[in-house]
């Protein structure tokens, strides 16, 4: 029997523009790591969490990694004991799917520890249970972190999860700049500002955006993809006030050659889409300079789409 498994699960940008709550994309970094080992006492035990500055609970019934791990354990080895060590590479409450990545890494690790009796699709209920405990019943972060690439998560059942094709233009050439200001914005807070009703004309515009986005993905059309990202104005308009200087930063990035700028998940991370690495570096430099001039701390990363999702390392 495998004694120890170490799994990496990538960060995700959910809400790809108009794809609110239904489309997410895995990115090459950052990610969370979970190490799972057998132990003699039945149950799931979180032994260590590093990288969270002591902010996450070690109580496995409250932590998303613990919840997902326990769900999987109950299904495949209810009499076994597993201890987890979690290395948080993702900043908390940053809009990059932190809770989902930990849950994905834990579910994959526990499954692998017992010889992978479940398929990735069969891990989805465990991820849903974990996500429901923190941000509601949606898999737009967890599914892309698990499978990689760009995922349409139309609901919570296996058949609702559709892996979209990532062609060479979007997958290899396009670079994304993730801009994470040093602040926490819990998803619950970012959801509180959303409108409960929208104009009919906004519904039509949003529908146009999501249709364009899906079409662009299937065509592997970088410019159309960028255009579609910018077609959401319902969610972006409601949330932009929660992230200081968000509009100015997106405008700045566009003036340096970025093709699009959106809020990642519930924020505060912003994601700039650029056509290549050279422009990504230019955009990154200018944005860092902006934050420096405003005496604000920020972490920036240049990333690609992570075509592979959670993996054993
Ligand atoms: N789709 C979610 C939101 C992502 O934007 O609220 C955060 O879990």
């Amino acid at each position: 029997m495998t004694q120890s498994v170490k799994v990496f699960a990538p960060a995700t940008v959910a809400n790809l523009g108009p794809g609110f709550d239904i489309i997410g994309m895995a990115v090459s970094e950052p990610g969370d790591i979970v190490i799972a080992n057998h132990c003699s006492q039945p149950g799931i035990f979180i032994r260590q969490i590093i990288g969270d500055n002591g902010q996450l609970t070690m109580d496995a019934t409250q932590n998303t990694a613990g919840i997902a791990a326990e769900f999987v354990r109950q299904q495949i080895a209810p009499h076994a004991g597993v201890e987890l060590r979690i290395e948080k590479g993702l900043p908390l409450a940053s809009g990059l799917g932190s809770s989902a990545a930990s849950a994905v890494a834990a579910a994959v690790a526990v499954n692998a520890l017992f010889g992978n009796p479940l398929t990735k699709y069969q891990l989805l209920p465990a991820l849903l249970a974990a996500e429901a405990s923190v941000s509601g019943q949606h898999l737009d972060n967890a599914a892309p972190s698990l499978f990689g690439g760009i995922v349409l998560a139309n609901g919570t059942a296996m058949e609702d999860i559709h892996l979209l094709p990532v062609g060479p233009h979007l997958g290899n050439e396009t670079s994304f700049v993730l801009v994470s200001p040093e602040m926490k914005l819990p998803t619950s807070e970012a959801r509180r500002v959303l409108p409960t009703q929208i104009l009919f004309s906004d519904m039509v515009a949003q529908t146009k955006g999501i249709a364009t986005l899906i079409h662009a993905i299937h065509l592997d059309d970088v410019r159309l993809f960028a255009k579609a990202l910018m077609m959401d104005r319902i969610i972006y308009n409601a949330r932009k006030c929660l992230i200081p200087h968000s509009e100015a930063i997106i405008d700045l990035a566009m003036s340096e050659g970025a093709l699009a700028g959106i809020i990642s998940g519930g924020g505060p991370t912003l994601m700039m889409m650029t056509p290549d690495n050279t422009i990504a570096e230019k955009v990154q430099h200018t944005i860092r300079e902006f934050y420096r001039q405003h005496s604000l701390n920020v972490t920036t990363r240049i990333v690609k789409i992570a075509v592979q999702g959670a993996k054993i390392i």
Side-chain angles (χ1 to χ4, degrees), residues 74-159:
Q74 286 290 349
Q75 277 179 285
I76 63 177
H79 304 297
V82 177
E83 47 184 34
L84 304 177
R85 286 178 176 75
I86 304 168
E87 294 174 21
K88 290 297 298 178
L90 270 77
L92 309 182
S94 64
L96 288 169
S98 174
S99 57
S102 291
V104 167
V108 171
V110 173
N111 191 36
L113 201 59
F114 294 95
N116 288 316
L118 302 179
T119 64
K120 278 193 171 181
Y121 280 95
Q122 288 171 327
L123 295 177
L124 289 170
L127 304 179
L128 190 63
E131 281 292 75
S133 73
V134 285
S135 63
Q137 300 260 349
H138 48 92
L139 288 169
D140 53 338
N141 289 111
S145 183
L146 178 66
F147 293 106
I150 303 175
V151 178
L152 171 63
N154 270 345
T156 56
M158 282 182 206
E159 61 270 21

Side-chain angles (χ1 to χ4, degrees), residues 57-290:
T57 176
M58 305 270 282
D59 178 347
T61 65
Q62 304 296 317
N63 180 301
T64 57
I67 294 168
E70 173 61 7
F71 200 103
V72 174
R73 186 191 73 91
Q74 286 290 349
Q75 277 179 285
I76 63 177
H79 304 297
V82 177
E83 47 184 34
L84 304 177
R85 286 178 176 75
I86 304 168
E87 294 174 21
K88 290 297 298 178
L90 270 77
L92 309 182
S94 64
L96 288 169
S98 174
S99 57
S102 291
V104 167
V108 171
V110 173
N111 191 36
L113 201 59
F114 294 95
N116 288 316
L118 302 179
T119 64
K120 278 193 171 181
Y121 280 95
Q122 288 171 327
L123 295 177
L124 289 170
L127 304 179
L128 190 63
E131 281 292 75
S133 73
V134 285
S135 63
Q137 300 260 349
H138 48 92
L139 288 169
D140 53 338
N141 289 111
S145 183
L146 178 66
F147 293 106
I150 303 175
V151 178
L152 171 63
N154 270 345
T156 56
M158 282 182 206
E159 61 270 21
D160 297 326
I161 305 299
H162 305 280
L163 312 189
L164 302 179
V166 178
H169 296 303
L170 281 170
N172 302 337
E173 293 164 20
T174 313
S175 290
F176 300 86
V177 184
L178 301 180
V179 179
S180 304
E182 197 179 81
M183 63 178 275
K184 279 167 70 175
L185 180 50
T187 305
S188 52
E189 219 173 287
R191 290 180 90 83
R192 250 197 307 274
V193 300
L194 298 176
T196 50
Q197 293 190 322
I198 58 166
L199 290 174
F200 190 80
S201 54
D202 283 346
M203 183 279 288
V204 174
Q206 203 78 0
T207 309
K208 203 160 69 178
I210 193 75
T212 306
L213 185 67
I214 299 283
H215 190 50
I217 293 168
H218 281 274
L219 291 180
D220 193 24
D221 184 328
V222 171
R223 303 262 158 188
L224 193 62
F225 182 87
K227 190 175 167 188
L229 288 186
M230 300 295 277
M231 287 167 80
D232 158 51
R233 281 299 170 261
I234 297 174
I235 311 303
Y236 174 76
N237 279 339
R239 286 177 168 171
K240 65 185 179 189
C241 57
L242 300 174
I243 306 161
H245 310 294
S246 52
E247 277 188 294
I249 291 160
I250 291 174
D251 286 348
L252 200 55
M254 302 289 279
S255 71
E256 293 288 351
L259 302 173
I262 60 170
I263 298 173
S264 173
T269 295
L270 303 171
M271 184 190 82
M272 311 302 162
M273 177 185 174
T274 69
D276 56 48
N277 224 46
T278 309
I279 294 182
E281 278 171 13
K282 209 166 130 206
V283 166
Q284 173 174 249
H285 175 79
T286 305
I287 290 174
R288 279 191 186 160
E289 192 52 26
F290 178 94

